Amino acid sequence: MTTTQPSGAPAHDRPRGLTSRHLHFIALGSAIGTGLFYGSAGAIQAAGPSVLLVYLLGGAVVYFMLRALGEMAVRHPVRGSFAEYTRAHLGGAAGFLTGWMFAFEMIIVALADLTAIGIYMGFWFPDVSRWVWIVVALLVVGAANVASTRVFGELEFWFTIVKVGAVVAMILAGAAVLVFGLSAAETTGPQNLVNHGGFFPNGVSGMVASFILVLFAFGGTEIIGVAGSEAEDPSRAIPTAINTVPARILLFYVLSILIILMINPWHTITGDESPFVQIFTALGVNWAAALLNVIVITAALSAINADIFGAGRVLSGLATQRLAPAAMTKTFRGVPVMTTLILLGVLVVGVVLNALIPESVFAVVASLATFATVFVWLMILLAHLASRRHMTPQDVTSLAYRVPLWPYGQYFAIAFILFTFGVMAWLPDFRVPLAVGMVFSIGCVALYYLTGRNRIDGVDDPVPGGYVPAAQGQ
């Protein structure tokens, strides 16, 4: 008898190429990127030492969101991940919107990182046009994603080794600076957390203003759910990966930012150079800027690699349900080749933009990602709440992996995200991205109904992967 996966495809027809090692490192590296290496300076300037609380609060939101995603993914490890969960539990329009919003988020973030690579390579090759390096980056990550799921996993594994090694080296170097008094700053140590205007130097409003930058830094962590559906043993790999989230947040964010703040008073971290460079400079490492350049390029390549993978799988899942063009259902050895090629084609826009407006493209593109990121998190949490409402007490008891602190953790995370939308409306710099996100959302929902997708047979089936439209692939 042939066993059937929740997606409706026979088990042997759904090749899985990611091992637990791959998924663990994808989870490990998903939150380590340019948002940490460079964006942390802006968050510190906005909040001062109280940014540590924001990283803890943001980390808690990410944890509850990922636990909700993990619960649904272990129960139904289907391609399409949270787009399919929102479709099943919140309706076809919600699934359509969530999937395309995530694809929008991934493309925007990938464009930002592609632009960043062009900027970083200018450190060594100032006379070479940015678009040249962007083409090279697209060729590398494109080849990895088209080759096979396992090649993607291996590339992400080694990218993560570099990123994690850099953060650990920074923490050890920072500890050496503190222990041996190597910093040239006027004061070092815990007193830096309160000496210069107190723990809340810019008041509570300053701390609140840093929410956007901190949450943006955590963007992309939801790819664990997407990658988990490609794992060889989702029921074991997904919980193992998600359960490391608290330790990762404490180590890579809270501890590293704490050390940075103790080495240099917060007001001296201006953003002219990465806070991480300042640590190595204090140790007399003159090549610190070049070292960080290598690390940040690696982080950007890793992010683009994961963005293409995540968006490709989600859009392929949508296409299976006829919520995306039928061409996106085409796979080769389990890889959604057509979807991946389409995404690479869209990312060529980054090449064009960097050739036309190299000075302003990064700021324009990066500012659009925050709305999409927290919107996807919100939909994951709402889908999880809805999934629990459809379950009997016996169903809940039989869950192999459950969220902790139910339902208060979920309500806390949802309230925090809604508050963040309010912060975006309050801060002038984020009103345009908020408006663009809202217009995109309204446009997606309108397109869902105007194209007649709301009339697809079974589009509101309450089981993730519970239906495969008869006209699929036509």
Side-chain angles (χ1 to χ4, degrees):
M1 178 177 171
T2 302
T3 57
T4 300
Q5 298 293 336
S7 67
H12 56 75
D13 288 339
R14 299 179 66 231
R16 300 182 188 275
L18 297 180
T19 65
S20 292
R21 169 176 64 89
H22 292 139
L23 192 60
H24 180 74
F25 273 83
I26 289 169
L28 197 61
S30 60
I32 304 175
T34 51
L36 173 62
F37 292 120
Y38 275 98
S40 54
I44 291 170
Q45 275 298 298
S50 66
V51 75
L52 294 169
L53 290 179
V54 182
Y55 277 110
L56 286 172
L57 287 170
V61 171
V62 169
Y63 179 62
F64 286 118
M65 179 273 296
L66 288 178
R67 284 298 295 257
L69 179 55
E71 180 179 298
M72 294 186 290
V74 169
R75 191 172 181 225
H76 295 286
V78 296
R79 174 164 285 180
S81 188
F82 41 80
E84 178 60 3
Y85 305 141
T86 51
R87 182 208 61 77
H89 301 306
L90 299 176
F96 184 81
L97 172 58
T98 303
W100 284 102
M101 182 66 78
F102 178 71
F104 176 72
E105 174 197 348
M106 293 295 95
I107 289 170
I108 290 297
V109 172
L111 285 174
D113 281 308
L114 280 170
T115 303
I117 287 174
I119 295 171
Y120 302 149
M121 290 302 294
F123 180 84
W124 293 302
F125 304 99
D127 298 327
V128 178
S129 298
R130 281 186 201 169
W131 66 266
V132 174
W133 304 116
I134 293 169
V135 170
V136 172
L138 279 177
L139 289 173
V140 171
V141 297
N145 272 272
V146 170
S148 72
T149 301
R150 189 172 290 273
V151 170
F152 157 78
E154 282 298 324
L155 189 61
E156 196 61 22
F157 171 79
W158 289 108
F159 280 156
T160 299
I161 289 287
V162 173
K163 293 191 292 183
V164 171
V167 177
V168 171
M170 187 283 302
I171 291 172
L172 294 176
V177 170
L178 290 170
V179 170
F180 298 108
L182 301 176
S183 176
E186 295 178 10
T187 58
T188 58
Q191 60 266 37
N192 273 349
L193 301 179
V194 293
N195 271 1
H196 305 277
F199 192 70
F200 297 90
N202 296 325
V204 175
S205 62
M207 185 183 81
V208 169
S210 71
F211 282 8
I212 307 298
L213 293 170
V214 169
L215 290 180
F216 176 73
F218 286 128
T221 50
E222 65 273 18
I223 196 176
I224 296 173
V226 181
S229 67
E230 304 277 335
E232 293 172 350
D233 184 4
S235 63
R236 184 172 63 88
I238 293 172
T240 301
I242 292 175
N243 288 342
T244 64
V245 168
R248 288 189 288 125
I249 289 168
L250 289 173
L251 175 65
F252 297 129
Y253 282 89
V254 178
L255 182 57
S256 61
I257 299 299
L258 176 63
I259 286 177
I260 286 169
L261 289 170
M262 288 197 293
I263 290 176
N264 296 290
W266 71 270
H267 61 84
T268 66
I269 302 170
T270 61
D272 292 335
E273 62 179 354
S274 169
F276 288 69
V277 170
Q278 290 180 260
I279 288 176
F280 289 109
T281 301
L283 279 172
V285 179
N286 297 325
W287 38 270
L291 172 66
L292 188 73
N293 214 46
V294 172
I295 295 164
V296 176
I297 288 171
T298 302
L301 282 170
S302 171
I304 298 163
N305 191 41
D307 294 342
I308 294 173
F309 174 88
R313 266 54 181 185
V314 168
L315 288 176
S316 177
L318 285 177
T320 300
Q321 313 297 11
R322 290 178 59 200
L323 298 178
M328 291 184 173
T329 62
K330 308 300 181 185
T331 62
F332 179 69
R333 291 184 300 183
V335 176
V337 176
M338 283 304 300
T339 306
T340 302
L341 292 176
I342 290 169
L343 288 169
L344 289 170
V346 172
L347 288 174
V348 171
V349 171
V351 179
V352 176
L353 289 176
N354 275 275
L356 298 177
I357 49 170
E359 300 307 317
S360 57
V361 63
F362 183 81
V364 171
V365 170
S367 65
L368 294 173
T370 303
F371 176 91
T373 297
V374 294
F375 183 90
V376 169
W377 294 355
L378 177 63
M379 296 303 287
I380 290 170
L381 290 160
L382 293 176
H384 177 247
L385 289 178
S387 75
R388 282 293 191 99
R389 285 200 301 271
H390 298 155
M391 295 168 66
T392 65
Q394 291 76 19
D395 291 333
V396 175
T397 303
S398 65
L399 286 172
Y401 188 60
R402 282 186 281 175
V403 299
L405 301 178
W406 169 264
Y408 306 108
Q410 311 311 103
Y411 291 151
F412 158 76
I414 290 171
F416 192 96
I417 290 173
L418 292 176
F419 181 70
T420 301
F421 286 135
V423 173
M424 292 184 74
W426 171 54
L427 295 173
D429 289 347
F430 289 94
R431 287 173 188 160
V432 171
L434 178 63
V436 170
M438 293 177 67
V439 169
F440 183 85
S441 301
I442 294 169
C444 273
V445 174
L447 192 63
Y448 173 77
Y449 288 100
L450 290 173
T451 57
R453 284 183 163 86
N454 59 306
R455 296 190 295 274
I456 295 174
D457 229 1
V459 74
D460 292 319
D461 189 296
V463 179
Y467 88 103
V468 178
Q472 175 193 330
Q474 294 180 5

